[in-house]
Amino acid sequence: QVQVTESGGGLVQSEGSLRLSCAVSGHKFSRYTMGWFRQAPGEEREFVAAISWGGENTYYADSVKDRFAISRDNAKNTVYLQMNSLKSEDTAVYYCSADTFLWSENWARRPQSYEYWGQGTQVTVSS
């Protein structure tokens, strides 16, 4: 059973920073493509960022490019999302996801591509 657990959310002021963490149980973490998605109230879940098995490939939504950075530590079974210059429109529940598909930006940006999901962590940006 694969468990995905996010942490690090909270309340931050506009232009502030947060780092989200996502821990994945199991021994195959290095074979998972990892993604971050977010969902604001009344909105659909949207892609934020993704990273390939070894971390050599990353992909970002245009709305967060140059502000957010995804990384992973395979020794710790953990993926991170560093969020800088946060804006009120970044307020959402952030979800971490995992799957073993081979890297493809088209696959990485689709929620349907991922089998395993965490419960989410709330990020609130105050203006």
Short mmCIF file of all heavy atoms in Angstrom, two decimals, residues 59-121:
data_model
loop_
_atom_site.label_atom_id
_atom_site.label_comp_id
_atom_site.label_asym_id
_atom_site.label_seq_id
_atom_site.Cartn_x
_atom_site.Cartn_y
_atom_site.Cartn_z
N TYR A 59 8.58 20.16 -14.81
CA TYR A 59 7.60 20.82 -15.66
C TYR A 59 6.69 21.63 -14.75
O TYR A 59 6.31 21.17 -13.67
CB TYR A 59 6.80 19.77 -16.43
CG TYR A 59 5.77 20.30 -17.38
CD1 TYR A 59 6.06 21.30 -18.30
CD2 TYR A 59 4.48 19.78 -17.39
CE1 TYR A 59 5.11 21.77 -19.19
CE2 TYR A 59 3.51 20.24 -18.27
CZ TYR A 59 3.84 21.22 -19.17
OH TYR A 59 2.90 21.68 -20.04
N TYR A 60 6.36 22.86 -15.19
CA TYR A 60 5.58 23.76 -14.36
C TYR A 60 4.41 24.35 -15.13
O TYR A 60 4.48 24.58 -16.34
CB TYR A 60 6.45 24.92 -13.87
CG TYR A 60 7.60 24.50 -12.99
CD1 TYR A 60 8.85 24.23 -13.53
CD2 TYR A 60 7.43 24.37 -11.61
CE1 TYR A 60 9.90 23.84 -12.73
CE2 TYR A 60 8.48 23.99 -10.80
CZ TYR A 60 9.71 23.72 -11.36
OH TYR A 60 10.75 23.33 -10.56
N ALA A 61 3.36 24.64 -14.41
CA ALA A 61 2.28 25.44 -14.98
C ALA A 61 2.80 26.85 -15.20
O ALA A 61 3.65 27.34 -14.44
CB ALA A 61 1.09 25.46 -14.03
N ASP A 62 2.31 27.49 -16.23
CA ASP A 62 2.76 28.85 -16.54
C ASP A 62 2.54 29.80 -15.37
O ASP A 62 3.33 30.72 -15.14
CB ASP A 62 2.03 29.38 -17.78
CG ASP A 62 2.50 28.71 -19.05
OD1 ASP A 62 3.58 28.09 -19.05
OD2 ASP A 62 1.77 28.81 -20.06
N SER A 63 1.47 29.57 -14.61
CA SER A 63 1.12 30.48 -13.52
C SER A 63 2.12 30.46 -12.37
O SER A 63 2.14 31.38 -11.55
CB SER A 63 -0.28 30.14 -12.99
OG SER A 63 -0.32 28.80 -12.53
N VAL A 64 2.94 29.42 -12.28
CA VAL A 64 3.88 29.32 -11.17
C VAL A 64 5.34 29.29 -11.62
O VAL A 64 6.25 29.31 -10.79
CB VAL A 64 3.60 28.07 -10.30
CG1 VAL A 64 2.14 28.05 -9.85
CG2 VAL A 64 3.95 26.78 -11.02
N LYS A 65 5.54 29.23 -12.92
CA LYS A 65 6.91 29.17 -13.43
C LYS A 65 7.70 30.36 -12.94
O LYS A 65 7.21 31.49 -12.90
CB LYS A 65 6.86 29.14 -14.96
CG LYS A 65 8.14 28.67 -15.63
CD LYS A 65 7.94 28.60 -17.13
CE LYS A 65 6.87 27.60 -17.53
NZ LYS A 65 6.76 27.47 -19.00
N ASP A 66 8.93 30.16 -12.56
CA ASP A 66 9.85 31.20 -12.06
C ASP A 66 9.54 31.60 -10.63
O ASP A 66 10.27 32.41 -10.05
CB ASP A 66 9.83 32.45 -12.95
CG ASP A 66 10.28 32.17 -14.36
OD1 ASP A 66 11.15 31.29 -14.54
OD2 ASP A 66 9.75 32.80 -15.29
N ARG A 67 8.47 31.05 -10.02
CA ARG A 67 8.18 31.34 -8.61
C ARG A 67 8.27 30.07 -7.76
O ARG A 67 8.65 30.14 -6.59
CB ARG A 67 6.79 31.94 -8.45
CG ARG A 67 6.61 33.27 -9.14
CD ARG A 67 5.28 33.91 -8.75
NE ARG A 67 4.12 33.11 -9.15
CZ ARG A 67 3.20 32.67 -8.30
NH1 ARG A 67 3.29 32.95 -7.00
NH2 ARG A 67 2.17 31.96 -8.75
N PHE A 68 7.88 28.94 -8.34
CA PHE A 68 7.87 27.67 -7.62
C PHE A 68 9.00 26.78 -8.15
O PHE A 68 9.38 26.87 -9.31
CB PHE A 68 6.54 26.94 -7.82
CG PHE A 68 5.35 27.57 -7.14
CD1 PHE A 68 5.41 28.85 -6.59
CD2 PHE A 68 4.16 26.88 -7.08
CE1 PHE A 68 4.31 29.41 -5.98
CE2 PHE A 68 3.04 27.42 -6.47
CZ PHE A 68 3.12 28.70 -5.92
N ALA A 69 9.48 25.89 -7.27
CA ALA A 69 10.50 24.93 -7.68
C ALA A 69 10.20 23.58 -7.05
O ALA A 69 10.02 23.49 -5.83
CB ALA A 69 11.88 25.41 -7.26
N ILE A 70 10.17 22.56 -7.89
CA ILE A 70 9.95 21.20 -7.41
C ILE A 70 11.28 20.47 -7.36
O ILE A 70 12.14 20.66 -8.23
CB ILE A 70 8.93 20.45 -8.31
CG1 ILE A 70 8.55 19.11 -7.70
CG2 ILE A 70 9.46 20.29 -9.73
CD1 ILE A 70 7.37 18.43 -8.43
N SER A 71 11.47 19.67 -6.34
CA SER A 71 12.69 18.88 -6.20
C SER A 71 12.35 17.60 -5.46
O SER A 71 11.27 17.46 -4.91
CB SER A 71 13.77 19.67 -5.46
OG SER A 71 13.34 19.99 -4.14
N ARG A 72 13.29 16.68 -5.46
CA ARG A 72 13.04 15.41 -4.76
C ARG A 72 14.33 14.90 -4.15
O ARG A 72 15.42 15.17 -4.65
CB ARG A 72 12.44 14.37 -5.71
CG ARG A 72 13.35 13.91 -6.82
CD ARG A 72 12.58 13.07 -7.85
NE ARG A 72 12.05 11.85 -7.26
CZ ARG A 72 11.05 11.15 -7.79
NH1 ARG A 72 10.45 11.58 -8.90
NH2 ARG A 72 10.63 10.03 -7.21
N ASP A 73 14.17 14.13 -3.08
CA ASP A 73 15.29 13.46 -2.43
C ASP A 73 14.90 11.99 -2.36
O ASP A 73 14.12 11.58 -1.49
CB ASP A 73 15.51 14.04 -1.04
CG ASP A 73 16.73 13.47 -0.35
OD1 ASP A 73 17.17 12.35 -0.72
OD2 ASP A 73 17.23 14.10 0.58
N ASN A 74 15.42 11.20 -3.27
CA ASN A 74 15.02 9.80 -3.34
C ASN A 74 15.49 9.00 -2.13
O ASN A 74 14.91 7.98 -1.79
CB ASN A 74 15.52 9.16 -4.63
CG ASN A 74 14.71 9.61 -5.84
OD1 ASN A 74 13.64 10.22 -5.70
ND2 ASN A 74 15.20 9.35 -7.03
N ALA A 75 16.54 9.46 -1.48
CA ALA A 75 17.01 8.78 -0.28
C ALA A 75 16.03 8.96 0.88
O ALA A 75 15.99 8.14 1.80
CB ALA A 75 18.38 9.30 0.12
N LYS A 76 15.24 10.03 0.84
CA LYS A 76 14.28 10.32 1.90
C LYS A 76 12.84 10.06 1.47
O LYS A 76 11.91 10.36 2.22
CB LYS A 76 14.42 11.77 2.36
CG LYS A 76 15.76 12.08 2.99
CD LYS A 76 15.81 13.52 3.48
CE LYS A 76 17.14 13.82 4.17
NZ LYS A 76 17.21 15.23 4.65
N ASN A 77 12.66 9.53 0.26
CA ASN A 77 11.30 9.28 -0.25
C ASN A 77 10.42 10.53 -0.16
O ASN A 77 9.24 10.44 0.20
CB ASN A 77 10.63 8.13 0.51
CG ASN A 77 11.13 6.77 0.06
OD1 ASN A 77 12.19 6.66 -0.56
ND2 ASN A 77 10.37 5.73 0.36
N THR A 78 11.00 11.66 -0.50
CA THR A 78 10.30 12.92 -0.31
C THR A 78 10.45 13.82 -1.53
O THR A 78 11.53 13.89 -2.13
CB THR A 78 10.83 13.65 0.94
OG1 THR A 78 10.66 12.81 2.08
CG2 THR A 78 10.07 14.95 1.17
N VAL A 79 9.37 14.49 -1.87
CA VAL A 79 9.40 15.51 -2.91
C VAL A 79 8.99 16.83 -2.27
O VAL A 79 8.22 16.86 -1.31
CB VAL A 79 8.47 15.14 -4.08
CG1 VAL A 79 7.01 15.10 -3.64
CG2 VAL A 79 8.63 16.10 -5.25
N TYR A 80 9.55 17.92 -2.78
CA TYR A 80 9.32 19.24 -2.20
C TYR A 80 8.75 20.19 -3.25
O TYR A 80 8.98 20.03 -4.46
CB TYR A 80 10.65 19.82 -1.69
CG TYR A 80 11.36 18.93 -0.70
CD1 TYR A 80 12.39 18.08 -1.13
CD2 TYR A 80 11.01 18.92 0.64
CE1 TYR A 80 13.06 17.26 -0.23
CE2 TYR A 80 11.67 18.10 1.54
CZ TYR A 80 12.69 17.26 1.10
OH TYR A 80 13.34 16.44 1.99
N LEU A 81 8.05 21.19 -2.76
CA LEU A 81 7.61 22.28 -3.60
C LEU A 81 7.94 23.58 -2.87
O LEU A 81 7.31 23.93 -1.89
CB LEU A 81 6.11 22.21 -3.89
CG LEU A 81 5.60 23.25 -4.86
CD1 LEU A 81 6.15 23.00 -6.27
CD2 LEU A 81 4.07 23.27 -4.92
N GLN A 82 8.97 24.26 -3.35
CA GLN A 82 9.35 25.56 -2.80
C GLN A 82 8.53 26.61 -3.51
O GLN A 82 8.60 26.73 -4.74
CB GLN A 82 10.85 25.80 -3.00
CG GLN A 82 11.32 27.16 -2.52
CD GLN A 82 11.21 27.30 -1.01
OE1 GLN A 82 11.57 26.39 -0.26
NE2 GLN A 82 10.74 28.45 -0.56
N MET A 83 7.78 27.37 -2.74
CA MET A 83 6.89 28.38 -3.31
C MET A 83 7.34 29.75 -2.84
O MET A 83 7.34 30.03 -1.63
CB MET A 83 5.44 28.11 -2.88
CG MET A 83 4.96 26.70 -3.22
SD MET A 83 3.22 26.45 -2.86
CE MET A 83 3.21 26.62 -1.09
N ASN A 84 7.72 30.59 -3.78
CA ASN A 84 8.18 31.95 -3.49
C ASN A 84 7.25 32.96 -4.13
O ASN A 84 6.47 32.63 -5.03
CB ASN A 84 9.60 32.13 -4.00
CG ASN A 84 10.60 31.17 -3.38
OD1 ASN A 84 10.51 30.86 -2.18
ND2 ASN A 84 11.55 30.72 -4.17
N SER A 85 7.36 34.18 -3.67
CA SER A 85 6.55 35.28 -4.22
C SER A 85 5.08 34.90 -4.32
O SER A 85 4.43 35.08 -5.35
CB SER A 85 7.08 35.68 -5.61
OG SER A 85 8.42 36.08 -5.55
N LEU A 86 4.57 34.37 -3.24
CA LEU A 86 3.21 33.86 -3.24
C LEU A 86 2.19 34.98 -3.43
O LEU A 86 2.38 36.11 -2.95
CB LEU A 86 2.92 33.10 -1.95
CG LEU A 86 3.53 31.69 -1.91
CD1 LEU A 86 3.64 31.19 -0.48
CD2 LEU A 86 2.69 30.74 -2.75
N LYS A 87 1.12 34.65 -4.13
CA LYS A 87 0.05 35.58 -4.43
C LYS A 87 -1.25 35.04 -3.86
O LYS A 87 -1.38 33.84 -3.62
CB LYS A 87 -0.08 35.76 -5.94
CG LYS A 87 1.19 36.14 -6.66
CD LYS A 87 0.97 36.16 -8.16
CE LYS A 87 2.26 36.48 -8.90
NZ LYS A 87 2.06 36.49 -10.37
N SER A 88 -2.22 35.93 -3.73
CA SER A 88 -3.51 35.49 -3.19
C SER A 88 -4.13 34.40 -4.06
O SER A 88 -4.79 33.49 -3.55
CB SER A 88 -4.46 36.67 -3.06
OG SER A 88 -4.64 37.31 -4.31
N GLU A 89 -3.88 34.45 -5.35
CA GLU A 89 -4.44 33.44 -6.26
C GLU A 89 -3.78 32.08 -6.12
O GLU A 89 -4.22 31.10 -6.73
CB GLU A 89 -4.40 33.90 -7.72
CG GLU A 89 -3.05 34.39 -8.18
CD GLU A 89 -2.94 35.90 -8.13
OE1 GLU A 89 -3.37 36.50 -7.10
OE2 GLU A 89 -2.40 36.48 -9.08
N ASP A 90 -2.72 31.98 -5.33
CA ASP A 90 -2.12 30.68 -5.04
C ASP A 90 -2.84 29.96 -3.91
O ASP A 90 -2.52 28.80 -3.61
CB ASP A 90 -0.64 30.85 -4.67
CG ASP A 90 0.20 31.37 -5.81
OD1 ASP A 90 0.00 30.90 -6.95
OD2 ASP A 90 1.05 32.25 -5.57
N THR A 91 -3.77 30.63 -3.26
CA THR A 91 -4.53 30.02 -2.18
C THR A 91 -5.32 28.82 -2.69
O THR A 91 -6.08 28.92 -3.65
CB THR A 91 -5.49 31.03 -1.54
OG1 THR A 91 -4.73 32.07 -0.92
CG2 THR A 91 -6.39 30.38 -0.51
N ALA A 92 -5.08 27.67 -2.07
CA ALA A 92 -5.73 26.43 -2.50
C ALA A 92 -5.30 25.30 -1.58
O ALA A 92 -4.39 25.47 -0.75
CB ALA A 92 -5.32 26.08 -3.94
N VAL A 93 -5.95 24.17 -1.74
CA VAL A 93 -5.44 22.94 -1.14
C VAL A 93 -4.46 22.33 -2.14
O VAL A 93 -4.80 22.16 -3.33
CB VAL A 93 -6.57 21.95 -0.83
CG1 VAL A 93 -5.99 20.64 -0.28
CG2 VAL A 93 -7.56 22.56 0.16
N TYR A 94 -3.28 22.01 -1.67
CA TYR A 94 -2.24 21.47 -2.53
C TYR A 94 -2.13 19.96 -2.30
O TYR A 94 -2.02 19.50 -1.17
CB TYR A 94 -0.90 22.14 -2.24
CG TYR A 94 -0.81 23.51 -2.86
CD1 TYR A 94 -1.57 24.57 -2.37
CD2 TYR A 94 0.01 23.75 -3.96
CE1 TYR A 94 -1.52 25.82 -2.95
CE2 TYR A 94 0.07 25.01 -4.55
CZ TYR A 94 -0.69 26.03 -4.04
OH TYR A 94 -0.65 27.27 -4.63
N TYR A 95 -2.16 19.24 -3.41
CA TYR A 95 -2.12 17.78 -3.38
C TYR A 95 -0.84 17.26 -4.03
O TYR A 95 -0.43 17.76 -5.09
CB TYR A 95 -3.31 17.19 -4.12
CG TYR A 95 -4.65 17.52 -3.51
CD1 TYR A 95 -5.37 18.63 -3.93
CD2 TYR A 95 -5.20 16.71 -2.53
CE1 TYR A 95 -6.60 18.94 -3.37
CE2 TYR A 95 -6.43 17.00 -1.96
CZ TYR A 95 -7.12 18.12 -2.39
OH TYR A 95 -8.34 18.41 -1.84
N CYS A 96 -0.29 16.24 -3.42
CA CYS A 96 0.86 15.54 -3.98
C CYS A 96 0.37 14.24 -4.61
O CYS A 96 -0.55 13.59 -4.09
CB CYS A 96 1.86 15.25 -2.86
SG CYS A 96 3.34 14.38 -3.36
N SER A 97 0.99 13.85 -5.71
CA SER A 97 0.55 12.65 -6.41
C SER A 97 1.76 11.87 -6.92
O SER A 97 2.84 12.44 -7.13
CB SER A 97 -0.34 13.04 -7.60
OG SER A 97 0.33 13.94 -8.45
N ALA A 98 1.54 10.58 -7.12
CA ALA A 98 2.64 9.70 -7.54
C ALA A 98 2.13 8.65 -8.52
O ALA A 98 1.00 8.16 -8.41
CB ALA A 98 3.25 9.01 -6.32
N ASP A 99 2.98 8.31 -9.47
CA ASP A 99 2.67 7.22 -10.39
C ASP A 99 3.96 6.78 -11.06
O ASP A 99 4.95 7.52 -11.10
CB ASP A 99 1.65 7.66 -11.44
CG ASP A 99 0.95 6.47 -12.07
OD1 ASP A 99 1.52 5.92 -13.05
OD2 ASP A 99 -0.12 6.09 -11.59
N THR A 100 3.92 5.59 -11.65
CA THR A 100 5.14 5.03 -12.22
C THR A 100 5.26 5.25 -13.72
O THR A 100 6.13 4.66 -14.36
CB THR A 100 5.19 3.52 -11.93
OG1 THR A 100 4.00 2.91 -12.44
CG2 THR A 100 5.31 3.24 -10.45
N PHE A 101 4.43 6.13 -14.30
CA PHE A 101 4.52 6.29 -15.75
C PHE A 101 5.84 6.93 -16.15
O PHE A 101 6.44 7.69 -15.39
CB PHE A 101 3.34 7.11 -16.29
CG PHE A 101 3.25 8.52 -15.78
CD1 PHE A 101 3.96 9.54 -16.38
CD2 PHE A 101 2.41 8.83 -14.73
CE1 PHE A 101 3.87 10.84 -15.94
CE2 PHE A 101 2.28 10.13 -14.27
CZ PHE A 101 3.03 11.14 -14.87
N LEU A 102 6.27 6.61 -17.36
CA LEU A 102 7.49 7.22 -17.90
C LEU A 102 7.25 8.70 -18.15
O LEU A 102 6.14 9.11 -18.51
CB LEU A 102 7.89 6.52 -19.19
CG LEU A 102 8.43 5.09 -19.04
CD1 LEU A 102 8.65 4.47 -20.42
CD2 LEU A 102 9.70 5.07 -18.23
N TRP A 103 8.30 9.47 -18.01
CA TRP A 103 8.16 10.92 -18.09
C TRP A 103 7.63 11.38 -19.44
O TRP A 103 8.09 11.01 -20.49
CB TRP A 103 9.51 11.60 -17.84
CG TRP A 103 9.42 13.08 -17.97
CD1 TRP A 103 9.83 13.86 -19.01
CD2 TRP A 103 8.84 13.98 -17.01
NE1 TRP A 103 9.56 15.18 -18.76
CE2 TRP A 103 8.95 15.28 -17.54
CE3 TRP A 103 8.25 13.81 -15.76
CZ2 TRP A 103 8.48 16.41 -16.86
CZ3 TRP A 103 7.79 14.93 -15.08
CH2 TRP A 103 7.91 16.20 -15.63
N SER A 104 6.64 12.25 -19.30
CA SER A 104 6.06 12.94 -20.45
C SER A 104 5.36 14.15 -19.88
O SER A 104 4.58 14.03 -18.93
CB SER A 104 5.06 12.02 -21.17
OG SER A 104 4.14 12.78 -21.92
N GLU A 105 5.58 15.30 -20.44
CA GLU A 105 4.93 16.50 -19.93
C GLU A 105 3.42 16.40 -20.11
O GLU A 105 2.65 16.84 -19.24
CB GLU A 105 5.48 17.74 -20.63
CG GLU A 105 6.91 18.06 -20.23
CD GLU A 105 7.44 19.33 -20.86
OE1 GLU A 105 6.70 19.94 -21.66
OE2 GLU A 105 8.58 19.72 -20.55
N ASN A 106 2.99 15.83 -21.20
CA ASN A 106 1.56 15.68 -21.43
C ASN A 106 0.91 14.80 -20.37
O ASN A 106 -0.19 15.08 -19.90
CB ASN A 106 1.28 15.12 -22.81
CG ASN A 106 1.42 16.18 -23.90
OD1 ASN A 106 1.26 17.37 -23.62
ND2 ASN A 106 1.70 15.75 -25.10
N TRP A 107 1.59 13.73 -20.00
CA TRP A 107 1.06 12.85 -18.95
C TRP A 107 1.19 13.52 -17.58
O TRP A 107 0.29 13.43 -16.75
CB TRP A 107 1.80 11.52 -18.95
CG TRP A 107 1.28 10.56 -19.96
CD1 TRP A 107 1.68 10.41 -21.24
CD2 TRP A 107 0.22 9.63 -19.77
NE1 TRP A 107 0.94 9.44 -21.86
CE2 TRP A 107 0.05 8.93 -20.99
CE3 TRP A 107 -0.60 9.29 -18.69
CZ2 TRP A 107 -0.90 7.93 -21.16
CZ3 TRP A 107 -1.54 8.29 -18.84
CH2 TRP A 107 -1.68 7.62 -20.07
N ALA A 108 2.29 14.19 -17.35
CA ALA A 108 2.56 14.72 -16.02
C ALA A 108 1.57 15.79 -15.60
O ALA A 108 1.31 15.96 -14.41
CB ALA A 108 3.97 15.28 -15.97
N ARG A 109 0.99 16.50 -16.54
CA ARG A 109 0.11 17.61 -16.18
C ARG A 109 -1.35 17.17 -15.99
O ARG A 109 -2.19 17.99 -15.63
CB ARG A 109 0.17 18.69 -17.25
CG ARG A 109 -0.41 18.26 -18.58
CD ARG A 109 -0.23 19.36 -19.61
NE ARG A 109 -0.81 18.99 -20.89
CZ ARG A 109 -0.72 19.72 -21.97
NH1 ARG A 109 -0.07 20.87 -21.93
NH2 ARG A 109 -1.27 19.32 -23.10
N ARG A 110 -1.66 15.91 -16.21
CA ARG A 110 -3.03 15.44 -16.12
C ARG A 110 -3.27 14.70 -14.81
O ARG A 110 -2.57 13.72 -14.53
CB ARG A 110 -3.36 14.53 -17.29
CG ARG A 110 -3.20 15.19 -18.63
CD ARG A 110 -3.75 14.34 -19.75
NE ARG A 110 -3.25 12.97 -19.73
CZ ARG A 110 -3.69 12.03 -20.55
NH1 ARG A 110 -4.63 12.29 -21.43
NH2 ARG A 110 -3.19 10.81 -20.48
N PRO A 111 -4.26 15.10 -14.02
CA PRO A 111 -4.55 14.39 -12.76
C PRO A 111 -4.85 12.90 -12.99
O PRO A 111 -4.49 12.07 -12.16
CB PRO A 111 -5.79 15.11 -12.23
CG PRO A 111 -5.79 16.44 -12.87
CD PRO A 111 -5.14 16.27 -14.22
N GLN A 112 -5.45 12.58 -14.12
CA GLN A 112 -5.82 11.19 -14.39
C GLN A 112 -4.61 10.28 -14.54
O GLN A 112 -4.73 9.05 -14.48
CB GLN A 112 -6.63 11.08 -15.69
CG GLN A 112 -7.80 12.03 -15.81
CD GLN A 112 -7.42 13.32 -16.50
OE1 GLN A 112 -6.62 14.08 -15.97
NE2 GLN A 112 -8.01 13.56 -17.65
N SER A 113 -3.43 10.86 -14.72
CA SER A 113 -2.23 10.05 -14.92
C SER A 113 -1.71 9.43 -13.63
O SER A 113 -0.90 8.51 -13.67
CB SER A 113 -1.12 10.91 -15.54
OG SER A 113 -1.52 11.43 -16.78
N TYR A 114 -2.16 9.95 -12.49
CA TYR A 114 -1.60 9.56 -11.21
C TYR A 114 -2.53 8.63 -10.43
O TYR A 114 -3.71 8.90 -10.30
CB TYR A 114 -1.31 10.80 -10.36
CG TYR A 114 -0.29 11.72 -10.98
CD1 TYR A 114 -0.66 12.67 -11.91
CD2 TYR A 114 1.05 11.62 -10.64
CE1 TYR A 114 0.27 13.51 -12.49
CE2 TYR A 114 2.00 12.47 -11.20
CZ TYR A 114 1.60 13.41 -12.13
OH TYR A 114 2.53 14.24 -12.69
N GLU A 115 -1.95 7.56 -9.91
CA GLU A 115 -2.74 6.60 -9.15
C GLU A 115 -2.82 6.96 -7.67
O GLU A 115 -3.84 6.72 -7.03
CB GLU A 115 -2.14 5.20 -9.29
CG GLU A 115 -2.90 4.13 -8.54
CD GLU A 115 -2.38 2.72 -8.81
OE1 GLU A 115 -1.40 2.60 -9.58
OE2 GLU A 115 -2.94 1.77 -8.24
N TYR A 116 -1.75 7.50 -7.14
CA TYR A 116 -1.68 7.71 -5.69
C TYR A 116 -1.73 9.20 -5.35
O TYR A 116 -1.03 10.01 -5.98
CB TYR A 116 -0.39 7.11 -5.13
CG TYR A 116 -0.23 5.65 -5.47
CD1 TYR A 116 0.72 5.23 -6.40
CD2 TYR A 116 -1.04 4.69 -4.87
CE1 TYR A 116 0.86 3.89 -6.73
CE2 TYR A 116 -0.91 3.35 -5.19
CZ TYR A 116 0.04 2.96 -6.13
OH TYR A 116 0.17 1.64 -6.45
N TRP A 117 -2.53 9.51 -4.34
CA TRP A 117 -2.75 10.90 -3.95
C TRP A 117 -2.71 11.05 -2.44
O TRP A 117 -3.11 10.15 -1.69
CB TRP A 117 -4.13 11.38 -4.44
CG TRP A 117 -4.22 11.54 -5.91
CD1 TRP A 117 -4.49 10.57 -6.82
CD2 TRP A 117 -4.01 12.74 -6.65
NE1 TRP A 117 -4.47 11.10 -8.10
CE2 TRP A 117 -4.17 12.43 -8.01
CE3 TRP A 117 -3.68 14.06 -6.30
CZ2 TRP A 117 -4.05 13.39 -9.02
CZ3 TRP A 117 -3.56 15.00 -7.29
CH2 TRP A 117 -3.75 14.66 -8.64
N GLY A 118 -2.24 12.21 -1.99
CA GLY A 118 -2.32 12.55 -0.60
C GLY A 118 -3.64 13.22 -0.27
O GLY A 118 -4.49 13.43 -1.15
N GLN A 119 -3.80 13.56 1.00
CA GLN A 119 -5.04 14.19 1.46
C GLN A 119 -5.06 15.69 1.24
O GLN A 119 -6.11 16.32 1.36
CB GLN A 119 -5.24 13.89 2.95
CG GLN A 119 -5.49 12.42 3.23
CD GLN A 119 -6.75 11.92 2.54
OE1 GLN A 119 -7.82 12.49 2.69
NE2 GLN A 119 -6.62 10.85 1.77
N GLY A 120 -3.92 16.26 0.96
CA GLY A 120 -3.85 17.68 0.68
C GLY A 120 -3.42 18.50 1.89
O GLY A 120 -3.61 18.09 3.03
N THR A 121 -2.84 19.65 1.60
CA THR A 121 -2.46 20.60 2.66
C THR A 121 -2.89 21.99 2.21
O THR A 121 -2.69 22.38 1.06
CB THR A 121 -0.95 20.51 2.94
OG1 THR A 121 -0.62 21.37 4.04
CG2 THR A 121 -0.10 20.91 1.73
#
